[in-house]
Amino acid sequence: MTRASDTQGGPVTLSKEGLPDWLGPVVRAVETVQPLQLSRFLPPEDGAGRQSAVLVLFGEGERGPELLLMERAGSLRSHAGQPSFPGGALDPEDGDPHTDGPLRAALREAEEETGLDPSGVQLFGVLPKLYIPVSGFVVTPVMGWWREPSPVAAVDPNETARVFTVPVADLTDPANRATTVHPSGHRGPAFLVESALVWGFTAGIIDRLLHYSGWERPWDREKQVPLDWRS
């Protein structure tokens, strides 16, 4: 069994060995999805942008498959109070941003933000790099299976308000889905789950994963949730 172990310079590899059967559709989606099927915002061709990574971590909870999310502290200057995947910018010690650097960064950031034990996480794939124009981040979504769950909580309350899991059943429930409308006119998918509004980049990734995994259920795209300028 290949394990994602030491996040500081040790070997961090991808393995599909021993994954639960229900993750099969996600694995196939990750292997076949094209960048423009995920987002119209792709990394600048000139290589600009700050390399970063997020951990898209699937676990199995009391209600079946679930995803790990965190909510950013309301005092932060950017994306305050917004739910997101654990993650952040690559550090030099994470290594090559074009090979295993994003894998190491995703695990390191998840450990720093949520306290999870990286040795219990099995990385099984990466999605194409995407771009967040408002922040200039080039983001690699790193896919993981929480093979050996460990306790999680907000490590630094100045950065993270809370850490929580969301059952996939709630994410696919049409009653929990909506379209956000930003004052700029931009529209995007959203999820109203666990007393949180998940929108923006994170909701976009979840929306596309549900769609290409065949898990998506028909939902009312005319149901709108307004966002304010501070978002």
Side-chain angles (χ1 to χ4, degrees), residues 27-38:
V27 174
R28 289 188 289 275
V30 171
E31 290 174 338
T32 57
V33 72
Q34 300 298 307
L36 283 172
Q37 292 177 309
L38 291 173

Side-chain angles (χ1 to χ4, degrees), residues 167-180 188-193 196-200 202-212 214-225:
V168 170
D170 287 351
L171 294 168
T172 59
D173 186 340
N176 297 334
R177 304 213 52 181
T179 297
T180 51
F191 301 85
L192 297 117
V193 289
L197 174 66
V198 183
W199 63 282
T202 303
I205 293 293
I206 296 173
D207 171 77
R208 294 295 80 195
L209 281 174
L210 296 179
H211 177 77
Y212 288 110
W215 290 353
E216 184 179 40
R217 296 164 58 190
W219 57 282
D220 181 6
R221 295 170 188 270
E222 298 304 313
K223 177 182 173 183
Q224 296 184 358
V225 178

Side-chain angles (χ1 to χ4, degrees), residues 9-27:
V12 181
T13 55
L14 300 175
S15 171
K16 302 181 185 69
E17 179 185 347
L19 294 175
D21 290 341
W22 59 260
L23 257 182
V26 175
V27 174

Side-chain angles (χ1 to χ4, degrees), residues 93-159:
E93 58 267 27
D94 292 324
D96 188 343
H98 302 292
T99 56
D100 61 354
L103 308 185
R104 199 170 282 110
L107 289 174
R108 175 184 54 75
E109 285 281 348
E111 182 178 14
E112 291 175 0
E113 292 174 330
T114 75
L116 70 74
D117 182 355
S119 67
V121 175
Q122 178 179 339
L123 303 181
F124 63 86
V126 295
L127 289 172
K129 291 180 185 290
L130 302 174
Y131 187 58
I132 304 180
V134 68
S135 61
F137 278 99
V138 174
V139 186
T140 301
V142 178
M143 311 297 297
W145 158 238
W146 210 354
R147 190 168 32 76
E148 298 174 14
S150 51
V152 290
V155 174
D156 183 352
N158 292 318
E159 292 192 1

Side-chain angles (χ1 to χ4, degrees), residues 76-80 82 134 181-186 199 225-231:
L76 292 175
R77 284 183 300 175
S78 63
H79 307 294
Q82 191 172 340
V134 68
V181 183
H182 195 274
S184 65
H186 179 73
W199 63 282
V225 178
L227 298 170
D228 64 32
W229 279 114
R230 293 168 296 173
S231 300

